[in-house]
Amino acid sequence: MTTSPASPTAAGSGTNATAAFRASVTRSGPAPADRQRVSTVVQALVDAVRGVIRDHEITYPEFRTAEQWLMDLGEAGEWPLFLDVFVEHEVEKIAERTQHGTKGTIQGPYYLPGQKRLPATATLPQRDDEKGDTLVLTGQVRALDGTPLGGAEVDIWQADADGYYSGFAPHIPDGNLRGVITTDEQGRFEITTVRPAPYRIPTDGPTGALLTAAGWHPWRPAHLHLMVCATGYRQITTQLYFQGGDWLDSDVASATKDELILAPVRLGDGLLRARYDFDLEPV
Ligand code: DHB
Ligand code: FE
């Protein structure tokens, strides 16, 4: 008989995502010089909403439903989940315009700082009975000109083989499948982990209710999250996907890029191996 783990709820992951966001961002009001920008951008936003109301002849019941849903979203702590799924990719595309080297993509709501520091060759913290195919990710961190970057940091986090993240699901120990790897003198790393499953937006919260109401699917393709940094270089926040995986062409968060797809191979030892090199631009 299998005992099902305490099922992670939208309320749990939403609230934790809100707490993680608040811990990571310092609140700074706009400087007086930014007033024009605030005015321009907020005016454009309000105009866009008013335009939707006119174009689609929004009714009072629809307006009240939207009000209620927005309140639910806040009360469930799901603003980070909702914004990272539906909006962050557009902001990232603006950042991409000035970024060279390895492509970035969205950070998502599940990054947690201060994870276990690990040497260049390491296995991510995992449970004794961690489910899933063993995956070995090797690679090198380099400057754009090819110089190997020893001592660079590869901060990696991922869902488990059921699609859940530690820190946001009560049945998973803190720090599971998270770690900060330091590259060797050649900029190389070799990370042993498990292949994550596709991620499903929690369906029991307001974001899930919206997806259901619109008839949209709640899936993201399986992915590893990485933040790669080295002193004097621009940090890359990105994700790596798996060739042939489900939902690659219909990611609910619109965050896939062709350049970020791994092609793991299974060698004689039965392990999945993939290679990915990171090219950082100087600041
Ligand atoms: C969300 C979850 C993710 O794992 C991710 O990479 C991006 C967004 C979310 O639930 O909002
Ligand atoms: Fe994710």
Side-chain angles (χ1 to χ4, degrees):
M1 197 189 84
T2 55
T3 49
S4 63
S7 190
T9 59
S13 51
T15 303
N16 286 4
T18 293
F21 179 86
R22 287 208 190 277
S24 71
V25 174
T26 45
R27 210 184 275 238
S28 61
D34 293 338
R35 269 197 200 125
Q36 188 54 51
R37 172 105 174 136
V38 174
S39 171
T40 303
V41 172
V42 175
Q43 189 64 58
L45 185 64
V46 170
D47 287 347
V49 173
R50 291 173 181 162
V52 170
I53 292 169
R54 280 193 300 274
D55 293 349
H56 298 274
E57 300 185 333
I58 298 303
T59 64
Y60 260 104
E62 287 171 336
F63 177 52
R64 296 303 179 208
T65 300
E67 272 186 291
Q68 227 160 12
W69 181 82
L70 285 164
M71 289 187 284
D72 290 347
L73 194 68
E75 282 168 19
E78 280 197 19
W79 274 107
L81 272 67
F82 174 76
L83 289 173
D84 292 356
V85 164
F86 288 101
V87 181
E88 187 186 352
H89 64 91
E90 215 56 53
V91 180
E92 198 281 324
K93 276 193 215 139
I94 304 298
E96 183 188 47
R97 291 182 189 173
T98 60
Q99 180 154 19
H100 302 97
T102 300
K103 294 278 184 196
T105 189
I106 67 170
Q107 178 176 321
Y110 296 145
Y111 174 68
L112 292 173
Q115 300 301 313
K116 188 166 182 189
R117 302 192 65 91
L118 299 164
T121 297
T123 299
L124 291 189
Q126 52 188 270
R127 293 161 283 187
D128 292 340
D129 58 349
E130 192 71 42
K131 256 173 71 178
D133 269 343
T134 300
L135 169 72
V136 183
L137 177 69
T138 60
Q140 189 181 30
V141 181
R142 309 179 293 225
L144 277 186
D145 66 4
T147 309
L149 296 177
E153 284 184 5
V154 179
D155 195 333
I156 180 168
W157 72 104
Q158 64 169 94
D160 68 7
D162 291 322
Y164 297 119
Y165 286 85
S166 64
F168 300 88
H171 66 285
I172 306 181
D174 283 349
N176 208 62
L177 300 179
R178 295 174 183 270
V180 185
I181 286 86
T182 300
T183 60
D184 69 13
E185 314 80 65
Q186 290 306 309
R188 294 186 195 281
F189 59 86
E190 179 178 300
I191 303 167
T192 300
T193 180
V194 296
R195 183 183 165 129
Y199 167 83
R200 193 180 69 173
I201 309 256
T203 45
D204 57 331
T207 306
L210 170 68
L211 294 168
T212 306
W216 298 335
H217 79 70
W219 293 96
R220 296 212 61 222
H223 56 276
L224 305 170
H225 289 269
L226 301 115
M227 257 181 215
V228 182
C229 65
T231 310
Y233 294 84
R234 181 165 167 175
Q235 174 178 303
I236 296 172
T237 299
T238 195
Q239 301 182 28
L240 295 174
Y241 302 92
F242 298 88
Q243 200 172 69
D246 290 337
W247 317 108
L248 269 179
D249 296 324
S250 63
D251 179 7
V252 66
S254 314
T256 60
K257 294 183 186 181
D258 290 346
E259 298 88 339
L260 299 176
I261 299 177
L262 294 171
V265 290
R266 202 181 289 279
L267 297 182
D269 56 9
L271 307 183
L272 285 173
R273 289 180 186 271
R275 174 169 179 147
Y276 203 87
D277 298 328
F278 295 92
D279 298 316
L280 307 193
E281 70 178 312
V283 282

